């Protein structure tokens, strides 16, 4: 299970999206979730950090 953690401009955790994604789909979903309100999205697998995307 992958977790996508969304952060606001201040770097504070806002929400978490969990799902049974493949790695490729999790990365794509993380990029799609980037917005002005959530400029940073981090991808975790089993509690371990994998990748972070930011605007």
């Amino acid at each position: 299970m992958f977790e996508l953690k969304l952060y606001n401009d201040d770097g504070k955790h806002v929400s978490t999206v969990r799902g049974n994604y493949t790695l490729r789909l999790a990365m794509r979903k993380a990029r799609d979730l980037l917005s002005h309100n959530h400029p940073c999205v981090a991808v975790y697998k089993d509690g371990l950090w994998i990748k972070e995307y930011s605007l």
Side-chain angles (χ1 to χ4, degrees):
M1 176 183 288
F2 284 92
E3 290 184 346
L4 308 175
K5 295 188 178 185
L6 298 132
Y7 297 91
N8 64 10
D9 288 340
D10 300 331
K12 294 182 182 175
H13 178 253
V14 176
S15 66
T16 301
V17 177
R18 291 183 181 96
N20 290 323
Y21 307 120
T22 62
L23 177 60
R24 185 174 180 176
L25 185 59
M27 298 298 187
R28 184 180 303 146
K29 182 122 178 109
R31 288 190 306 266
D32 291 344
L33 288 172
L34 287 174
S35 68
H36 182 68
N37 293 332
H38 304 107
C40 182
V41 179
V43 179
Y44 291 85
K45 169 76 172 163
D46 297 329
L48 299 173
W49 177 85
I50 294 178
K51 178 98 174 143
E52 184 175 296
Y53 291 100
S54 60
L55 293 179

